[in-house]
């Protein structure tokens, strides 16, 4: 393998590009009309235009991407996450066109992509699954019978699903019929497959996932867990590792379950095995994510292992060189997803031009972003603009560093989730680790109140005070010749010293 085509954009395209460089491989990227001036395009050895901004006409266009791989002279294709990453047809098409697909074999991908198939297989292998049907059902009667046996509430899920689409909670028999119709039609339009099944609804649970690496030659390791319970509407907002809910015994047990899942499905590549964990510490297998995930840096920070590099080595046919005994997670890592949404307006999308950008750094801080000052965040793609990861020797130190980094982080021109994360880092329940998948919804009222409270207009107040001081000084805006510092800056500093601008509370 010499050249890898990165079939993605944004921060993950940049992350894969960097792994290529570290391995001495040549990165090539594809780009849509909207991404012509992006950082991955600037840094790659080759960049191929694949079409207009809408993803359906560019990043989701299999033919265009294969043509780009040929034109770039690539030997392999890395799909990143999202877009075509978990599409078995794409994995197959890459292989058929003679490119190494940096992911699982199409067959294993298809198997884990079918939730009912995966459940059946795992149950057979002794992996605990959520109580429920092991077949798709097309008649209401099957669901009614299951619900009477298991008791309400139940949850209907799309067999081809994931990410909450085609899901319906049913709390009483009277809601069953319309929920069934809704789940079916949503599954059909989202996945082209109207297969639906049912499970008992688990409440007050945590989302805990295990990172694995498998070489497809019989070697597989687990790299510990990530807790992803802080989410809103199936969008993860904060991930961390380890989870406060796991002791050494449960950690080992879940790691072994994850490896059982990998072996049972013939999996190869980096992968994630998702579990729900109930209040009594019982894990239930949910699904497999057959890709590198957004939150993979959490695991990289605590294990020191470069997961993207491992993906590439595995795809190149190298046997796994990491032994289970040598994996010793150290410290704590937390990731905050910086999203172009306004947390003060119900997380409304906030596209726009990046007027100014100041990226945090310093001990224990890692930032994954492809954002550049002057660039426009559009509505065409996922609104994730940056990932801020903080590492500490323990959870408290990781939180303290995250707080410091969030205060340094400036993205002006758009609204982002930075202020939301800043409030979470000060929340007593979060600090105590008392989180589950409902935590964010429950905490949002108090977090929003804090967002709207004093301090929120500090930046505007600082600008106003600097402006007032400047007008008082009666100076012109132009910097004087030979004076490297703008009079704006000098007047702003004077205003600060005179106590007109209060430092942030
Ligand atoms: C569940 C569940 C409770 N009980 N299944 C959400 C996405 C999809 N992958 C499965 N999901 C869930 N399945 C049963 N039987 C709760 C969820 C769920 C959830 C899971 C993980 C993280 C966040 C979540 C948010 C809402 C619902």
């Amino acid at each position: 393998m010499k050249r890898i085509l990165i079939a993605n954009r944004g921060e993950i395209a940049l992350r894969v590009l960097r792994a290529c460089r570290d391995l001495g491989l040549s990165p090539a990227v594809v780009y849509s009309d909207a991404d012509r001036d992006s950082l991955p395009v600037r840094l790659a050895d080759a960049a191929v235009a694949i079409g207009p901004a809408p993803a359906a006409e560019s990043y989701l266009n299999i033919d265009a991407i294969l043509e780009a791989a040929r034109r770039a002279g690539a030997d392999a294709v890395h799909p990143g996450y999202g877009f075509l990453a978990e599409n078995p047809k794409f994995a197959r098409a890459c292989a058929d066109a003679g490119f190494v697909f940096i992911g699982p074999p199409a067959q294993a991908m298809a198997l884990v992509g079918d939730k009912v198939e995966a459940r059946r297989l795992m149950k057979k292998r002794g992996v605990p699954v959520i109580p429920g049907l092991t077949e798709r059902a097309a008649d209401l009667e099957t669901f009614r019978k299951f619900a009477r046996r298991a008791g309400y509430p139940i949850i209907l899920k799309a067999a081809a699903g994931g990410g909450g689409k085609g899901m319906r909670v049913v709390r009483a028999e009277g809601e069953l019929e319309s929920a069934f119709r809704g789940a079916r039609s949503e599954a059909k339009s989202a996945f082209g497959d109207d297969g639906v099944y049912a499970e008992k609804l688990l409440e007050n649970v945590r989302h805990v996932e295990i990172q694995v690496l498998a070489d497809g030659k019989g070697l597989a390791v687990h790299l510990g867990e990530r807790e992803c319970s802080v989410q809103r509407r199936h969008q993860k907002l904060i991930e961390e590792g380890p989870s406060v809910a796991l002791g050494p015994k449960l950690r080992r047990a879940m790691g072994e379950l994850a490896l059982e899942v990998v072996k049972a499905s013939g999996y190869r590549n980096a992968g994630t095995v998702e579990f729900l964990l109930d209040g009594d510490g019982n894990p239930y297998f949910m699904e497999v994510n057959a890709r590198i995930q957004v939150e993979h840096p959490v695991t990289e920070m605590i294990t020191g292992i470069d997961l993207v590099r491992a993906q590439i080595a595995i795809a190149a046919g190298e046997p796994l060189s990491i032994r289970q005994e040598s994996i010793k997670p150290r410290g704590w890592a937390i990731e905050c997803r910086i999203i172009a949404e306004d947390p003060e307006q119900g997380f409304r999308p906030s596209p726009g031009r990046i007027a100014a950008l100041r990226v945090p750094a310093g001990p224990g801080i890692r930032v994954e972003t492809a954002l550049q000052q002057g660039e426009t965040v559009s509505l065409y793609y996922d609104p994730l603009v940056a990932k801020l990861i903080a590492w500490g020797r323990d959870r408290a130190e990781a939180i303290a560093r995250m707080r410091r980094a969030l205060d340094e982080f400036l993205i002006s021109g758009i609204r982002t989730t930075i202020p939301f994360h800043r409030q979470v880092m000060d929340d007593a329940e979060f600090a105590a680790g008392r989180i589950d998948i409902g935590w964010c919804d429950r905490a949002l009222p108090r977090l929003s109140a804090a967002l709207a409270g004093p301090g929120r207009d500090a930046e505007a107040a600082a600008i106003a005070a600097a402006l007032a001081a400047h007008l008082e000084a009666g100076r012109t805006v132009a910097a004087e010749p030979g004076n490297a510092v703008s009079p704006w800056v000098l007047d702003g500093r004077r205003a600060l010293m005179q106590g007109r601008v209060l430092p942030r509370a």
Side-chain angles (χ1 to χ4, degrees):
M1 256 157 61
K2 287 195 176 65
R3 174 165 284 183
I4 293 177
L5 185 85
I6 303 164
N8 215 301
R9 64 179 303 283
E11 66 88 16
I12 195 63
L14 187 56
R15 172 70 187 83
V16 176
L17 185 150
R18 287 170 170 156
C20 292
R21 292 277 181 229
D22 288 352
L23 283 162
L25 298 169
S26 170
V29 296
V30 296
Y31 64 97
S32 75
D33 292 348
D35 291 332
R36 203 171 33 222
D37 300 324
S38 70
L39 194 52
V41 169
R42 280 166 199 256
L43 294 182
D45 288 343
V48 187
I50 49 167
E57 297 170 63
S58 48
Y59 297 105
L60 289 170
N61 183 341
I62 294 179
D63 291 336
I65 288 166
L66 292 178
E67 181 53 26
R70 280 187 284 270
R71 283 186 48 195
D75 324 289
V77 176
H78 195 302
Y81 56 68
F83 296 129
L84 296 166
E86 290 178 275
N87 183 331
K89 282 195 199 109
F90 181 59
R92 169 74 54 215
C94 285
D96 289 349
F99 301 113
V100 174
F101 178 76
I102 304 174
Q107 196 188 330
M109 195 189 272
L111 170 63
V112 300
D114 188 317
K115 306 295 171 277
V116 178
E117 285 289 323
R119 267 169 68 75
R120 211 173 19 236
L121 180 63
M122 297 319 153
K123 197 174 171 185
K124 203 172 82 189
R125 295 293 196 108
V127 175
V129 299
I130 304 170
L133 301 175
T134 45
E135 305 272 0
R136 299 151 176 248
D139 62 302
L140 207 54
E141 198 43 40
T142 305
F143 290 102
R144 200 174 282 134
K145 276 219 285 263
F146 165 70
R148 283 185 184 163
R149 181 158 47 84
Y152 287 94
I154 64 164
I155 184 169
L156 308 184
K157 292 186 178 183
K165 282 211 193 82
M167 244 172 58
R168 289 286 189 286
V169 171
V170 186
R171 298 198 174 270
E173 192 161 301
E175 302 168 12
L176 187 58
E177 185 165 2
S178 85
F180 176 54
R181 285 180 207 285
R184 270 186 87 142
S185 75
E186 201 173 304
K188 179 80 189 165
S189 63
F191 312 109
D193 175 350
D194 69 357
V196 168
Y197 71 104
E199 292 173 358
K200 176 86 186 139
L201 179 76
L202 302 182
E203 294 183 279
N204 312 315
V205 286
R206 292 171 184 259
H207 176 155
V208 177
E209 57 186 29
I210 309 289
Q211 177 71 53
V212 297
L213 283 172
D215 65 6
K217 298 175 169 148
L219 292 180
V221 293
H222 56 88
L223 295 100
E225 77 279 7
R226 294 182 291 258
E227 156 118 41
C228 310
S229 295
V230 179
Q231 60 84 40
R232 183 184 166 273
R233 302 195 178 168
H234 303 297
Q235 182 187 51
K236 292 172 185 167
L237 294 167
I238 300 174
E239 303 97 339
E240 62 180 292
S243 164
V244 298
L246 269 62
K249 231 176 106 190
L250 182 54
R251 177 166 302 118
R252 198 170 324 115
M254 288 181 73
E256 275 158 24
L257 288 175
L259 291 185
E260 189 57 38
V261 169
V262 163
K263 285 175 193 150
S265 56
Y267 196 82
R268 180 184 77 210
N269 184 33
T272 301
V273 183
E274 291 189 353
F275 294 90
L276 290 180
L277 183 67
D278 74 15
D280 300 325
N282 299 306
Y284 298 90
F285 167 76
M286 205 161 45
E287 56 191 74
V288 176
N289 297 137
R291 59 170 191 274
I292 190 75
Q293 283 189 286
V294 173
E295 59 269 31
H296 76 274
V298 165
T299 301
E300 293 187 326
M301 298 287 271
I302 59 177
T303 63
I305 293 166
D306 182 331
L307 291 168
V308 180
R309 190 179 168 137
Q311 278 190 297
I312 296 170
I314 289 167
E318 289 174 27
L320 209 58
S321 60
I322 308 157
R323 292 288 162 277
Q324 191 65 59
E325 315 80 69
S326 68
I327 300 168
K328 297 234 162 27
R330 206 178 130 248
W332 212 281
I334 304 178
E335 173 179 272
C336 287
R337 294 193 186 193
I338 313 301
I339 302 167
E341 290 176 353
D342 186 353
E344 291 171 44
Q345 307 277 336
F347 291 80
R348 183 167 82 184
S350 180
R353 185 173 174 276
I354 305 304
L357 183 63
R358 180 178 64 213
V359 177
I365 294 301
R366 171 174 169 185
V367 179
E368 293 287 329
T369 184
L371 212 56
Q372 306 176 95
Q373 190 241 312
E375 167 169 294
T376 296
V377 175
S378 73
L379 290 171
Y380 288 110
Y381 311 113
D382 189 286
L384 181 82
V385 293
K387 304 187 304 204
L388 174 57
I389 306 108
W391 182 89
R393 286 163 300 180
D394 54 27
R395 193 166 184 267
E397 188 175 53
I399 291 174
R401 284 174 165 172
M402 181 65 84
R403 227 184 245 124
R404 179 245 298 167
L406 287 164
D407 284 343
E408 286 180 21
F409 217 151
L410 174 76
I411 304 178
S412 67
I414 61 170
R415 296 294 177 138
T416 74
T417 49
I418 291 171
F420 163 83
H421 290 303
R422 188 64 188 78
Q423 289 307 324
V424 174
M425 293 306 128
D426 279 348
D427 188 81
E429 263 179 23
F430 180 81
R434 281 201 303 272
I435 49 177
D436 61 46
I437 62 174
W439 181 82
C440 191
D441 291 332
R442 293 194 306 271
L444 264 176
R446 68 171 181 270
L447 298 174
S448 304
L451 284 174
R456 120 152 235 181
D457 294 323
E459 198 180 359
I463 293 166
L467 181 57
H470 187 75
L471 289 172
E472 241 167 66
R475 272 199 272 219
T476 55
V477 179
E480 289 143 32
N483 183 0
V485 182
S486 145
W488 282 106
V489 172
L490 293 174
D491 290 340
R493 275 184 206 154
R494 191 175 317 113
L496 222 149
M497 283 187 293
Q498 289 167 354
R500 291 174 205 233
V501 183
L502 297 173
R504 206 178 308 197

